[in-house]
């Protein structure tokens, strides 16, 4: 560590402390083997694509280098996967819960044993900092399998008075922001309840789902119980439209969610949707401000802001607005953007060139509409790769596009309020309803406000905390159905 001169005089003392320290690079050194080319995982083995889909490259967004080729799933590939899942269903559904649990436990254990490798793979395929994939994504993915293994032989207690039966073949489509974790959220409850699955990972981040398929084979999961078909949105649509699928579980954008809802309508297929958000983070004057600033940073800059429940609308009580903005600016200056494999990195690469372009469009729109952009991170960025400095807007009006639309990047819209009533009204004034944060010292205020916020999850004096026992999901255009907890099991059983 070398100490550098402070670049500019700052108002608060701890500012210079935060920005002064330079760290030597601390790269993650685990080497991960990646085959030049992957097929789909169907019926317990990796098979080449049929139906002429061919292959495409999965790219490392921090280097723009292709990592390997994966198969573009055609309708024929999806059909083969659905057939394999259908064939495997009677035996898997008929297995006693405690036997299914053993497989699910083994998957969880294997994820733990291969955690380092999975974390590196997640980081190089998707761009998120190794610290996050290592400390958040992979442990939580294992935790989801552990948790649901525990339910497999207790479904009769979960739904007392019923004999829960599996739904059947589940088509599961996931996004690129938490690739392995979203796969775990989908597969673990489905397997616990005796369903079989066809999983479609996102085009830009298929590698950990393929590694998870390998783990399924390693632990001896019966062939066809889990199938993974890679590809882009066309592959997802083929899963949605396949008549042999009994349930669709989708996590992704509201736009695609609406298309899927339309496609599934009238088919008798079950559907759960986890969609976008524009979640409010509300800071009251009586909150611990330093702690709240950490929560704001966690809420919007975690995973480059590629978080459906990101606290992307910040509401600060007027009396503490200046203090919060100043402390936020200072805290942001200490965030490190850069090599996701470096353990010092706070903000990694944006997942794709398209997403970077989307974020830039929003930032330009914010400036054009008259909001004031604060972009304070001065560290040099790598020459190649998709990078975005964290930023926030002040002077934001509720009508501004940056206050209304999901940006899905490290860009925060800061607004103020005077009374708790106003905070609630403005926080609820959105077509979304996924999550919210409330920061206050007063217990009574916490419960009253949490009760009145229309959000699936409300975090109190914290943000972005997840647990497999805690149901997650939205209201309004953020979707319907819950994942995690007892509520999450409900969509994978017939009563
Ligand atoms: P997306 O474009 O909706 O994609 C999600 C998944 O759907 C991907 O696997 C995608 O394949 C596939 N897909 C695309 N078009 C499809 C179609 N017509 N039919 C079936 N599948 C299709 O979303 P994204 O941009 O990857 O992810 C970001 C969005 O996900 C954000 O809006 C975010 O809020 C939301 N999200 C929500 C949650 C939640 O739990 N509520 C969690 C994470 C993310 P390709 O990858 O090839 O496009
Ligand atoms: Mg990739």
């Amino acid at each position: 560590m070398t100490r550098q001169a402070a670049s500019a005089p700052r108002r608060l003392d701890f500012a210079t402390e935060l920005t002064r320290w330079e760290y030597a690079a601390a790269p993650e050194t685990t080497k991960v083997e990646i085959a030049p080319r992957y097929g789909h995982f169907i019926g317990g083995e990796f098979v080449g694509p049929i139906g002429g889909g061919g292959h495409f490259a999965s790219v490392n967004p921090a280097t723009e280098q292709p990592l390997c080729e994966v198969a573009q799933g055609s309708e024929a590939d999806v059909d083969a996967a659905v057939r394999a899942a259908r064939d495997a269903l009677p035996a898997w559904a008929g297995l006693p819960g405690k036997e299914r649990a053993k497989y699910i436990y083994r998957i969880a254990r294997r994820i733990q044993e291969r955690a380092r490798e999975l974390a590196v793979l997640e980081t190089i395929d998707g761009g998120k900092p190794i610290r996050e994939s290592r400390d958040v994504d992979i442990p939580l993915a294992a935790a989801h399998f552990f948790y649901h293994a525990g339910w497999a032989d207790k479904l009769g207690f979960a739904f007392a008075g019923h004999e829960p039966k599996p739904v059947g073949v589940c088509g599961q489509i996931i996004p690129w922001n938490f690739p392995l974790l979203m796969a775990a959220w989908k597969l673990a409850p489905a397997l616990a309840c005796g369903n079989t699955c066809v999983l479609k990972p996102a085009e830009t981040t298929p590698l950990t789902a393929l590694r998870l398929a390998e783990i399924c084979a390693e632990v001896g999961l019966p062939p066809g119980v889990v199938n993974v078909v890679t590809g882009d949105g066309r592959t997802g649509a083929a899963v949605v439209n396949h008549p042999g699928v009994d349930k669709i579980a989708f996590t992704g954008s509201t736009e695609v969610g609406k298309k899927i809802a339309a496609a599934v309508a009238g088919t008798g297929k079950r559907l759960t949707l986890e969609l976008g958000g524009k979640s409010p983070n509300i800071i009251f004057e009586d909150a611990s401000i330093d702690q709240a600033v950490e929560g704001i940073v966690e809420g919007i800059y975690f995973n480059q802001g590629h978080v459906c429940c990101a606290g992307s609308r910040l509401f600060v009580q007027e009396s503490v607005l200046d203090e919060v903005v100043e402390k936020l600016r200072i805290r942001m200056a200490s965030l490190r953007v850069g090599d996701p494999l470096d353990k010092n990195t706070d903000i990694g690469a944006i997942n794709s060139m398209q997403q970077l372009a989307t974020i830039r469009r929003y930032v330009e729109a914010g400036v054009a509409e008259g909001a004031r952009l604060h972009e304070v991170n001065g560290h040099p960025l790598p020459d190649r790769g998709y990078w975005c400095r964290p930023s926030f807007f002040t002077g934001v009006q509720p009508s501004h596009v940056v206050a209304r639309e999901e940006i899905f990047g490290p860009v925060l819209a800061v607004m103020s309020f005077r009374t708790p009533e106003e905070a609630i009204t403005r926080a609820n004034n959105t077509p979304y309803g996924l999550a919210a944060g409330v920061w206050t010292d007063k217990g009574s205020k916490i419960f009253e406000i949490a009760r009145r916020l229309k959000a699936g999850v409300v975090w109190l004096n914290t943000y972005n905390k997840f647990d497999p026992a805690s149901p997650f999901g939205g209201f309004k255009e953020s979707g319907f159905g819950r994942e995690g907890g007892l509520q999450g099991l409900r969509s994978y059983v017939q009563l």
Side-chain angles (χ1 to χ4, degrees):
M1 252 179 351
T2 57
R3 204 150 194 215
Q4 296 190 337
S7 49
R10 305 218 184 246
R11 272 211 281 140
L12 298 179
D13 284 349
F14 76 90
T16 42
E17 288 306 315
L18 280 175
T19 50
R20 243 185 237 165
W21 297 95
E22 267 311 323
Y23 298 94
E28 165 66 54
T29 50
T30 304
K31 292 279 173 279
V32 173
E33 273 179 38
I34 301 175
R37 183 176 261 201
Y38 288 91
H40 308 298
F41 183 73
I42 297 175
E45 53 186 8
F46 283 94
V47 294
I50 51 174
H55 291 81
F56 63 92
S58 191
V59 168
N60 179 342
T63 62
E64 300 177 45
Q65 295 296 315
L67 291 163
C68 64
E69 287 195 331
V70 295
Q72 167 62 37
S74 63
E75 283 179 19
D77 294 316
V78 169
D79 183 57
V82 173
R83 280 170 198 276
R86 181 65 57 195
D87 290 347
L89 183 63
W92 181 249
L95 214 57
K98 72 178 199 311
E99 296 304 317
R100 285 202 305 273
K102 289 179 190 168
Y103 289 103
I104 305 170
Y105 270 123
R106 262 187 256 165
I107 294 172
R109 291 299 301 272
R110 209 57 196 126
I111 290 175
Q112 287 184 322
E113 286 160 8
R114 297 179 69 170
R116 200 73 180 246
E117 167 197 358
L118 289 166
V120 170
L121 208 53
E122 201 74 308
T123 284
I124 58 182
D125 200 16
K128 64 172 63 196
I130 187 73
R131 247 181 24 216
E132 286 176 12
S133 39
R134 183 194 65 191
D135 298 347
V136 182
D137 294 65
I138 311 304
L140 270 178
H144 270 268
F145 282 102
F146 276 120
Y147 174 81
H148 287 96
W151 272 125
D153 61 348
K154 301 174 195 70
L155 296 174
F157 298 100
F159 305 101
H162 297 275
E163 241 182 83
K165 298 257 180 324
V167 170
V169 174
C170 302
Q172 307 179 310
I173 300 163
I174 55 174
W176 41 261
N177 58 345
F178 293 92
L180 186 70
L181 184 57
M182 289 300 113
W185 280 26
K186 295 280 178 280
L187 294 175
L191 298 181
C193 297
N195 302 282
T196 56
C197 303
V198 176
L199 179 78
K200 205 297 276 180
E203 179 185 357
T204 58
T205 54
L207 296 190
T208 46
L210 290 168
R211 218 40 77 111
L212 184 60
E214 212 177 283
I215 287 176
C216 290
E218 247 178 21
V219 306
L221 190 73
V225 172
V226 168
N227 305 276
V228 178
V229 181
T230 53
D232 62 17
R234 291 169 294 174
T235 313
V239 173
V240 169
N241 294 323
H242 196 291
V245 171
D246 300 300
K247 175 194 158 63
I248 296 293
F250 172 78
T251 296
S253 61
T254 296
E255 185 192 346
V256 174
K258 284 179 179 173
K259 281 191 207 158
I260 292 178
V264 164
T267 62
K269 289 175 194 169
R270 292 182 176 216
L271 177 65
T272 44
L273 298 174
E274 301 279 3
L275 309 175
K278 189 76 183 174
S279 298
N281 207 358
I282 305 171
I283 318 289
F284 285 98
E285 60 189 2
D286 55 39
S288 158
I289 299 297
D290 289 347
Q291 195 191 338
V293 167
E294 285 307 305
I296 297 166
V297 168
E298 173 72 19
I300 186 65
Y301 303 126
F302 174 58
N303 195 19
Q304 294 76 246
H306 299 332
V307 183
C308 50
C309 51
S312 52
R313 286 183 301 147
L314 177 65
F315 294 100
V316 185
Q317 198 154 16
E318 213 171 67
S319 52
V320 291
L321 180 65
D322 290 349
E323 182 187 356
V324 168
V325 166
E326 178 62 1
K327 287 188 166 170
L328 183 62
R329 194 182 60 71
I330 290 162
R331 180 64 178 91
M332 267 177 61
S334 72
L335 294 175
R336 269 148 215 284
V337 185
D339 181 5
L341 278 174
D342 190 319
K343 292 165 197 160
N344 295 318
T345 294
D346 298 300
I347 298 188
I350 298 301
N351 183 265
S352 64
M353 205 195 304
Q354 291 86 328
Q355 187 59 27
L356 181 58
T358 302
I359 298 169
R360 287 191 175 145
R361 267 201 312 277
Y362 275 113
V363 171
E364 284 163 18
V367 171
E369 284 188 309
R372 177 165 174 229
L373 177 67
H374 304 252
E375 196 195 58
V376 287
N377 194 300
H379 296 287
L381 296 177
D383 296 333
R384 303 205 63 178
Y386 313 132
W387 311 102
C388 179
R389 295 187 193 283
S391 65
F392 65 91
F393 280 104
T394 54
V396 177
Q397 299 300 321
S399 58
H400 285 168
V401 69
V402 292
R404 289 187 289 111
E405 294 185 16
E406 182 177 49
I407 301 175
F408 224 59
V411 183
L412 175 69
V414 183
M415 291 165 278
S416 65
F417 66 91
R418 288 188 180 156
T419 64
E421 245 355 92
E422 189 191 349
I424 295 166
T425 310
R426 296 189 58 188
N428 284 337
N429 181 16
T430 167
Y432 295 111
L434 197 52
V438 180
W439 299 80
T440 168
D441 214 19
K442 302 276 182 293
S444 55
K445 207 187 264 171
I446 283 182
F447 290 111
E448 172 63 7
I449 288 172
R451 196 178 58 76
R452 293 177 56 198
L453 288 173
K454 291 198 191 74
V457 179
V458 182
W459 284 293
L460 306 169
N461 291 330
T462 187
Y463 208 91
N464 272 344
K465 292 287 176 286
F466 304 95
D467 188 281
S470 174
F472 184 88
F475 289 107
K476 301 190 277 183
E477 291 199 6
S478 292
F480 49 82
R482 293 291 178 266
E483 292 188 297
L486 185 56
Q487 291 85 342
L489 289 175
R490 181 64 189 86
S491 40
Y492 287 100
V493 290
Q494 301 184 60
L495 298 180

